[in-house]
C-alpha cells in the first residue's frame, strides 16, 4: 500500500471515531430530553391535583357557610318562641326567609362546584395514567440509550486499536501533518483532486499539482486550504 492508501485507511477510521464521539456526546442530552418529557407530565399531574384540592376546598367552604346559616335559622326559631308581638314574629320570619334564600343560592353554587370536583378528579386520573405510561416509555428509551452508549464505548475502543495498527509504517512527517490538518478540518484532511479542483475547498490548482498527486510518492498539499491531496 502507498502512503496515501494507508492514510485513507486511517482517515476512514478517524471519520468513524468522530461520528461515535459525536453520538456519545449527544446521548446525555437526549436522555435529558426524555427526563424533561417525564417532568412535564409530572408537573401536569401536580397542577391537576392542585386544581382538585382547590375545588374541594371551595365546596367545603360553601358547606360550612350553609351549615352556619342553618344553625342561624335554628337559633332564630328558638328566639321566635319568646317573641311577644306578631310584628316581631313576622320580622323574624322575613329574616329567616332571607337566610333560606341565601342557603338555596349556596346550594346551587355548591352543585356547580361539585361538578368541577368530579371533572378535576377525572383529570387527575387521566394525568396519573399518562404519567405512568410516560414513565414506562422514558425508562425504556433511557435504557436503550444506555445500551447504545455501552456499544459505542466498545466500538470506539476497537477503532482506536485499529488506528494504532493502521499508522504503523507511515512516515512520521506524513502522519504528523495529517493529524494537524484533521484537527482543524472537520470534513477530512485527505481529499481527492478532481479536474485540478481540491475536493475540500473546491479551489482550482495548477496542472503541476495534479501531476504530483498521480505519482503518490510525495506529500502534495492544497495551497489554499492545506489539505493533503490525492488522485
Amino acid at each position: 500500500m502507498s502512503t496515501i492508501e494507508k492514510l485513507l485507511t486511517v482517515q476512514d477510521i478517524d471519520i468513524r471515531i468522530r461520528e461515535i464521539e459525536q453520538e456519545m456526546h449527544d446521548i446525555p442530552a437526549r436522555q435529558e430530553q426524555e427526563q424533561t418529557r417525564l417532568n412535564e407530565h409530572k408537573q401536569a399531574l401536580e397542577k391537576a391535583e392542585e386544581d382538585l384540592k382547590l375545588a374541594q376546598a371551595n365546596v367545603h367552604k360553601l358547606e360550612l357557610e350553609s351549615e352556619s346559616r342553618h344553625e342561624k335559622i335554628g337559633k332564630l326559631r328558638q328566639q321566635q318562641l319568646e317573641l311577644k308581638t306578631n310584628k316581631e314574629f313576622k320580622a323574624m320570619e322575613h329574616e329567616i326567609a332571607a337566610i333560606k334564600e341565601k342557603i338555596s343560592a349556596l346550594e346551587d353554587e355548591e352543585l356547580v362546584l361539585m361538578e368541577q370536583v368530579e371533572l378535576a378528579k377525572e383529570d387527575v386520573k387521566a394525568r396519573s395514567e399518562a404519567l405512568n405510561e410516560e414513565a414506562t416509555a422514558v425508562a425504556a428509551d433511557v435504557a436503550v440509550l444506555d445500551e447504545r452508549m455501552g456499544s459505542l464505548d466498545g466500538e470506539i475502543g476497537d477503532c482506536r486499536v485499529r488506528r494504532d495498527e493502521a499508522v504503523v509504517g507511515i512516515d512520521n512527517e506524513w502522519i504528523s501533518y495529517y493529524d494537524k490538518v484533521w484537527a482543524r478540518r472537520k470534513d477530512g484532511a485527505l481529499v481527492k483532486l478532481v479536474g485540478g479542483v481540491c475536493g475540500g475547498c473546491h479551489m482550482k490548482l495548477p496542472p503541476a499539482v495534479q501531476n504530483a498527486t498521480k505519482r503518490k510518492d510525495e506529500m502534495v498539499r492544497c495551497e489554499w486550504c492545506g489539505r493533503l491531496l490525492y488522485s
Side-chain angles (χ1 to χ4, degrees), residues 72-83:
K72 177 66 173 177
I73 289 174
K75 291 178 181 179
L76 291 175
R77 291 297 185 193
Q78 288 295 322
Q79 292 175 15
Q80 274 185 321
L81 298 176
E82 302 173 1
L83 296 176

Side-chain angles (χ1 to χ4, degrees), residues 117-148:
V117 168
E118 292 306 312
L119 290 174
K121 286 181 179 178
E122 292 176 7
D123 190 36
V124 167
K125 181 181 178 182
R127 299 287 185 181
S128 179
E129 291 173 352
L131 174 59
N132 290 335
E133 291 177 3
E134 192 67 16
T136 300
V138 166
D141 291 344
V142 169
V144 169
L145 290 171
D146 283 337
E147 184 178 354
R148 179 59 177 164

Side-chain angles (χ1 to χ4, degrees), residues 62-116:
L62 290 180
E63 288 173 344
L64 291 177
E65 288 185 27
S66 180
E67 182 180 344
S68 174
R69 283 171 170 76
H70 278 293
E71 291 176 355
K72 177 66 173 177
I73 289 174
K75 291 178 181 179
L76 291 175
R77 291 297 185 193
Q78 288 295 322
Q79 292 175 15
Q80 274 185 321
L81 298 176
E82 302 173 1
L83 296 176
K84 305 297 184 180
T85 67
N86 189 47
K87 182 178 180 180
E88 289 175 330
F89 187 86
K90 287 183 177 180
M92 192 165 288
E93 278 294 323
H94 181 72
E95 184 178 354
I96 290 172
I99 295 174
K100 286 182 177 180
E101 185 176 343
K102 180 59 178 177
I103 290 174
S104 179
L106 288 172
E107 289 174 346
D108 290 342
E109 188 177 351
E110 185 178 342
L111 288 175
V112 173
L113 289 178
M114 288 178 70
E115 290 179 2
Q116 293 178 2

